[in-house]
Amino acid sequence: MSEYIWKRSIYKGGRMGVILEAGYQTVSNRPVDKTIKITEKIYFKPMLLPYPKSEFLDDEEIKYFCAGLRLISKSLSEEVQEGFYLWIGLQSISFSECYIQIEDFTGAALLWASETFNIPIPDVDVYSDSWKGEFLL
């Protein structure tokens, strides 16, 4: 099994900035431990270090982070050779809790993937639901 290749990324969007370090490895086997399936070829695993090296992400925040990976998954899949799988791990993340906009986790994942694999960020349709006070992707 190959080692993770770690990359730091700084996302500035909305009112919140996100600093994260995530990594990837290309392997010939599917994961057998607790991972989140992004596509048939791409899997995500939160590997967050304990505080203060990283903030904790709850299930909803992880869901939005994975949404960013799903939005760019077509381009990511093209980076994976036939017969291999891409494992992505999130090691650390920090942000100002007083300005959390959950959609910024999606943007942070998109930016990390774009910078790490040198692929363009896809156009994303975003809709505002004023009744719920949230954005929909």
Side-chain angles (χ1 to χ4, degrees), residues 10-31:
I10 300 173
Y11 171 82
K12 297 174 187 170
R15 296 184 300 170
M16 182 173 103
V18 177
I19 301 170
L20 66 88
E21 187 168 11
Y24 70 93
Q25 60 180 331
T26 304
V27 296
S28 60
N29 57 325
R30 279 195 169 108

Side-chain angles (χ1 to χ4, degrees), residues 10-83:
I10 300 173
Y11 171 82
K12 297 174 187 170
R15 296 184 300 170
M16 182 173 103
V18 177
I19 301 170
L20 66 88
E21 187 168 11
Y24 70 93
Q25 60 180 331
T26 304
V27 296
S28 60
N29 57 325
R30 279 195 169 108
V32 293
D33 58 355
K34 296 182 180 181
T35 57
I36 298 168
K37 182 178 175 181
I38 303 299
T39 70
E40 287 296 326
K41 294 171 75 172
I42 303 170
Y43 293 84
F44 171 76
K45 182 176 182 180
M47 304 166 64
L48 295 169
L49 298 169
Y51 185 83
K53 293 183 180 183
S54 177
E55 300 290 335
F56 171 79
L57 292 183
D58 64 28
D59 290 343
E60 187 75 2
E61 292 162 338
I62 289 172
K63 179 179 120 181
Y64 272 80
F65 190 88
C66 288
L69 297 176
R70 284 186 181 94
L71 287 169
I72 200 164
S73 65
K74 182 177 179 186
S75 295
L76 285 176
S77 292
E78 292 172 0
E79 299 294 318
V80 182
Q81 294 178 358
E82 189 64 37

